[in-house]
Amino acid sequence: MASSGLAYPGRFYAAAAYAGLGVGSPDSAVISRFKSESALLLYALYQQATVGPCNVPKPRAWNPVEQTKWSSWHQLGDLSSAEAMRLFVKILEEEDPSWFSRVRDSTAAPVVDVPINKAKDEPTIETSSSSSNQISFPEPKTITTENGTPHETQDKDVIFEGLSSVAVYDQWTSLSVSGPIPKPRYQHGAAVVQDKMYIFGGNHNGRYLGDLQVLDLKGLTWSKVDAKLQAGSPGSATTIAPCAGHSLIPWQNKILSIGGHTKDPSETLTVKEFDLQTGTWSNLRTYGKPPISRGGQSVTLVGATLMIFGGEDAKRSLLNELNILDLETMTWDDIDAIGSPPSPRSDHVAACYAERYLLIFGGGSHATCFNDLHILDMQAMEWSRPNTQGVTPGPRAGHAGVTVGDNWYIVGGGNNQTGVSETLVLNMSTLVWSVVTSIQGRVPLASEGLSLVNSTYSGEDYLVSFGGYNGKYSHEVYALKLSNKSGVQSGVTEGAVPDSSDGIVQTTDHRRDVNPETEVYQESKIREIAIDNNARSEEANERIVGELKAEKEELEAALNREQIQNLELKQRLAEADTRNMDLTKELQSVRSQLATEQSRCFKLEVDLAELRQKLQALEALEREVELLQRQKAATEQAAIDAKQQRQGSGGMWSWIVGTPPDRSDSS
């Protein structure tokens, strides 16, 4: 950024001097240089940073200009001085990005004491006697208010470095970052390793991204990691495939990327590993039966095991199966748990409590979003849907969640109509929901597909979000400093005032203004409420235990009846098997006899065919014999006839020729 070369509070005072505030010029100088809305907000933020919250009387009605200025200042509520300085510089840079290049080298010098009961008076910045071009910046002053309470306009010990620039608790703050800002995206993965937030992949305008970006949470500086695919990894590609809807898990100074949607999806769920030392990606080899590929699933690290639930496969079919991956053996296994599991869904969140309970919240199907909470007891392998207390979360999908101690923080998401504005927290030990803060407007925190990580910096816990989609893609970074009472808040945000610059509701932080007696009273009330809740929980647990015991007895009786019936069926089945074996043997014997008879029948058919051939030949011979007999008879008859003819005509001729008579005939 243009003004990154000057630290706070010097950067703020340089910006104020450039804007025309605190240099003895009238407020009209600011209004003439900026739009009226921006000028009023700059004036209000300057007053908030240098004087403090507005507690002066409202000007009379005949002075509308002073009334408008007073209203703009008063709306900031108890916004901290440090935050007012940051917002002042941010708005100035949005109005005039090159302002810092026009400011010469400057040195700080104490010059001003501003009475708080004169809102129209401005602090003055004196010019150094040695050089008219050098701008002197006022040091913070302790001012006595109307009620005699000292008020520090600016803490000298505030160091604007990294996440420590977030000065207020339990409200979101837009971070000013430097370096090459990543492309806006959603459905990316995020993980924190050694005070660095790694961002991988995501979706932008329907295209999958494959870049790896890192934000140094100490210096709030972005940089891109030139990651390559490790040589020898399966496949011929040189870079990792772009994806969205995956999960990033830090593991042993490495980052695991599990699942996700890709342009060319594989059949099974893939696990990729980024080595922080070598800066290379590699596709890990797993064993066992891997689950089908998917995106939008939840991945929870439990000890040395990854618990993968739900998601949406490449054919847009929703899933509700539960798979585990042992990271020590890289072996897959699926889980058959009893009870009613969550319905098929994707874009939900999951968390682990006490290394035993897996919690699933929200998510969506193709037509609706959910707000249900399911718990898996990983020792009994049983699903349940517990009753919760506190506020009732609205349905949402595409939200993000992280755990800090016993608290589970839920941010963002959408309900198919609008983005969800509340930042929720679930105390996993008591199952009490509450609201940490709310936002206004379509800021990235009310987005789907944003990422959320937890980082500890200077002994404070921070939530850090990046990206998301709520009508447009985002690449902004927001942070929320957690107070130690986030898990027991009532969910009512008192004194919430919208910030005109980024739409975030500024939640009043009264923790530093509460006297010890009131704080002790509040803590005692909290303990009483906790004890009462515990008593009620014990009564409810006893009732539930009684119901479960009765149900267990009924189930055991039903199980005994089923076992007896199963035993009878087994006996009948054994008898039927015995009869079946006997019948099978008899059938085999009959089949053998039938085969023998078939063989004999075949031989008889062959003999019969031969006999038929012989019979046909015999019939032919008989016809031939009959013909010969007829021919013989005819011949004999012809011979007789000839003989008789010879006898009848041979007497005279025989005598004439001297032929002797036939003696045979005479005889």
Side-chain angles (χ1 to χ4, degrees):
M1 299 181 65
S3 59
S4 60
L6 185 62
Y8 285 94
R11 183 162 64 176
F12 162 73
Y13 288 113
Y18 177 81
L21 289 170
V23 293
S25 58
D27 299 336
S28 58
V30 181
I31 298 176
S32 64
R33 299 181 61 180
F34 304 99
K35 295 182 294 184
S36 59
E37 296 83 358
S38 300
L40 285 172
L41 187 56
L42 287 172
Y43 164 80
L45 290 171
Y46 180 83
Q47 292 293 98
Q48 191 81 7
T50 57
V51 178
C54 178
N55 52 11
V56 299
K58 185 176 182 180
R60 298 296 182 180
W62 57 75
N63 195 344
V65 175
E66 293 300 323
Q67 272 195 343
T68 304
K69 292 165 59 179
W70 181 90
S71 298
S72 180
W73 182 16
H74 187 267
Q75 287 179 356
L76 296 179
D78 289 340
L79 181 68
S80 68
S81 176
E83 184 67 9
M85 289 184 178
R86 188 193 66 80
L87 291 175
F88 185 96
V89 175
K90 178 181 178 183
I91 294 170
L92 179 61
E93 289 176 346
E94 291 176 354
E95 295 291 331
D96 188 355
S98 61
W99 72 270
F100 191 71
S101 62
R102 305 174 187 176
V103 178
R104 301 292 181 87
D105 295 337
S106 58
T107 57
V111 295
V112 65
D113 188 358
V114 183
I116 197 154
N117 58 352
K118 294 183 180 181
K120 63 181 179 179
D121 293 339
E122 300 291 344
T124 59
I125 300 181
E126 297 179 352
T127 306
S128 174
S129 59
S130 60
S131 175
S132 60
N133 294 329
Q134 292 181 344
I135 301 175
S136 299
F137 303 107
E139 287 190 356
K141 299 289 292 183
T142 301
I143 303 170
T144 303
T145 62
E146 292 180 342
N147 57 7
T149 304
H151 176 75
E152 182 96 3
T153 62
Q154 172 64 33
D155 187 359
K156 298 180 181 180
D157 297 330
V158 174
I159 301 175
F160 290 82
E161 179 186 0
L163 293 176
S164 62
S165 62
V166 181
V168 294
Y169 288 88
D170 296 333
Q171 73 179 46
W172 287 102
T173 301
S174 177
L175 297 180
S176 297
V177 296
S178 60
I181 299 178
K183 180 180 292 186
R185 68 193 68 197
Y186 82 124
Q187 290 185 337
H188 51 278
V192 171
V193 180
Q194 297 178 353
D195 294 328
K196 293 183 179 181
M197 180 176 69
Y198 291 84
I199 301 295
F200 170 63
N203 191 323
H204 177 80
N205 289 334
R207 294 186 176 182
Y208 299 131
L209 304 177
D211 56 335
L212 181 63
Q213 308 281 347
V214 58
L215 176 65
D216 187 346
L217 297 177
K218 290 184 177 180
L220 296 182
T221 303
W222 280 108
S223 60
K224 183 178 179 180
V225 180
D226 187 14
K228 300 294 183 181
L229 191 63
Q230 186 179 24
S233 295
S236 58
T238 58
T239 59
I240 207 71
C243 62
H246 51 288
S247 303
L248 283 191
I249 302 295
W251 172 253
Q252 294 181 349
N253 202 30
K254 298 178 181 180
I255 299 177
L256 303 180
S257 176
I258 299 94
H261 297 296
T262 58
K263 183 179 179 181
D264 299 316
S266 60
E267 294 183 357
T268 59
L269 193 67
T270 58
V271 180
K272 295 167 284 191
E273 178 187 81
F274 179 73
D275 193 321
L276 296 173
Q277 295 181 350
T278 62
T280 56
W281 284 102
S282 60
N283 294 314
L284 296 183
R285 186 182 302 276
T286 60
Y287 304 93
K289 183 180 179 181
I292 60 175
S293 63
R294 67 195 65 193
Q297 74 287 335
S298 63
V299 180
T300 309
L301 181 63
V302 183
T305 303
L306 293 181
M307 310 289 292
I308 296 97
F309 176 79
E312 185 181 57
D313 64 13
K315 299 180 180 179
R316 289 183 55 81
S317 297
L318 295 170
L319 309 169
N320 68 339
E321 61 184 19
L322 184 63
N323 301 91
I324 64 173
L325 176 63
D326 189 332
L327 295 178
E328 295 180 347
T329 62
M330 297 305 296
T331 303
W332 287 103
D333 193 8
D334 53 358
I335 295 178
D336 293 329
I338 60 176
S340 299
S343 59
R345 65 190 63 199
S346 66
D347 297 327
H348 53 280
V349 291
C352 176
Y353 176 64
E355 296 293 321
R356 174 175 176 178
Y357 301 100
L358 179 68
L359 290 78
I360 305 290
F361 171 70
S365 63
H366 296 152
T368 186
C369 297
F370 307 114
N371 65 341
D372 49 353
L373 177 67
H374 297 262
I375 296 181
L376 173 67
D377 187 339
M378 290 182 287
Q379 289 187 4
M381 281 303 166
E382 181 177 5
W383 285 105
S384 62
R385 186 173 177 180
N387 295 323
T388 60
Q389 300 178 7
V391 299
T392 301
R396 68 196 68 199
H399 46 293
V402 295
T403 59
V404 181
D406 290 347
N407 294 326
W408 188 18
Y409 293 89
I410 308 294
V411 178
N415 55 14
N416 290 335
Q417 295 179 355
T418 61
V420 180
S421 60
E422 300 88 6
T423 297
L424 297 175
V425 59
L426 174 67
N427 189 306
M428 294 182 288
S429 62
T430 60
L431 295 181
V432 177
W433 286 104
S434 58
V435 177
V436 179
T437 186
S438 296
I439 57 177
Q440 290 183 349
R442 298 176 64 180
V443 298
L445 290 167
S447 300
E448 298 183 28
L450 78 168
S451 62
L452 185 69
V453 297
N454 172 43
S455 178
T456 302
Y457 190 79
S458 299
E460 300 275 6
D461 287 317
Y462 295 85
L463 304 183
V464 182
S465 75
F466 171 77
Y469 177 80
N470 61 355
K472 65 177 182 179
Y473 298 91
S474 171
H475 57 186
E476 295 189 34
V477 182
Y478 285 82
L480 183 144
K481 182 191 291 188
L482 297 175
S483 69
N484 55 2
K485 297 183 181 180
S486 296
V488 294
Q489 290 178 346
S490 63
V492 180
T493 55
E494 300 178 357
V497 179
D499 183 341
S500 302
S501 63
D502 53 12
I504 299 179
V505 171
Q506 307 294 343
T507 306
T508 304
D509 186 2
H510 298 290
R511 295 179 306 112
R512 303 180 190 274
D513 300 330
V514 178
N515 58 53
E517 295 180 357
T518 304
E519 189 169 359
V520 171
Y521 172 75
Q522 291 177 348
E523 292 180 355
S524 64
K525 292 297 293 182
I526 292 172
R527 285 196 297 269
E528 291 177 3
I529 293 172
I531 293 172
D532 183 57
N533 287 336
N534 290 334
R536 293 181 180 178
S537 300
E538 291 178 358
E539 293 177 359
N541 290 336
E542 291 178 357
R543 183 177 67 258
I544 293 173
V545 169
E547 294 175 355
L548 291 176
K549 286 182 178 179
E551 186 177 357
K552 179 182 177 182
E553 293 176 355
E554 294 178 359
L555 291 175
E556 288 178 348
L559 180 61
N560 291 332
R561 291 193 297 269
E562 294 294 334
Q563 288 177 347
I564 294 173
Q565 186 177 2
N566 189 26
L567 182 60
E568 294 177 354
L569 291 175
K570 285 183 178 180
Q571 292 177 352
R572 293 179 183 178
L573 182 61
E575 294 175 357
D577 288 340
T578 303
R579 290 197 300 269
N580 188 27
M581 292 177 61
D582 295 339
L583 291 174
T584 301
K585 292 179 180 179
E586 186 176 353
L587 178 61
Q588 291 177 352
S589 176
V590 171
R591 285 178 176 174
S592 177
Q593 294 177 4
L594 179 60
T596 303
E597 293 298 328
Q598 288 177 344
S599 177
R600 291 176 57 190
C601 183
F602 179 73
K603 291 180 180 180
L604 290 175
E605 288 178 353
V606 172
D607 294 341
L608 180 61
E610 293 177 354
L611 290 175
R612 283 177 178 174
Q613 291 178 353
K614 291 179 180 180
L615 181 60
Q616 291 177 355
L618 182 61
E619 289 177 352
L621 290 174
E622 288 179 351
R623 288 193 298 271
E624 196 173 330
V625 169
E626 183 178 358
L627 180 60
L628 291 174
Q629 287 177 351
R630 290 177 182 176
Q631 292 177 354
K632 180 181 178 182
T635 304
E636 290 178 352
Q637 185 66 36
I640 293 172
D641 292 341
K643 184 177 179 181
Q644 289 177 356
Q645 185 177 5
R646 286 194 305 268
Q647 289 178 355
S649 60
M652 182 178 289
W653 288 99
S654 300
W655 184 77
I656 293 174
V657 296
T659 302
D662 191 356
R663 299 184 179 273
S664 60
D665 294 335
S666 61
S667 59

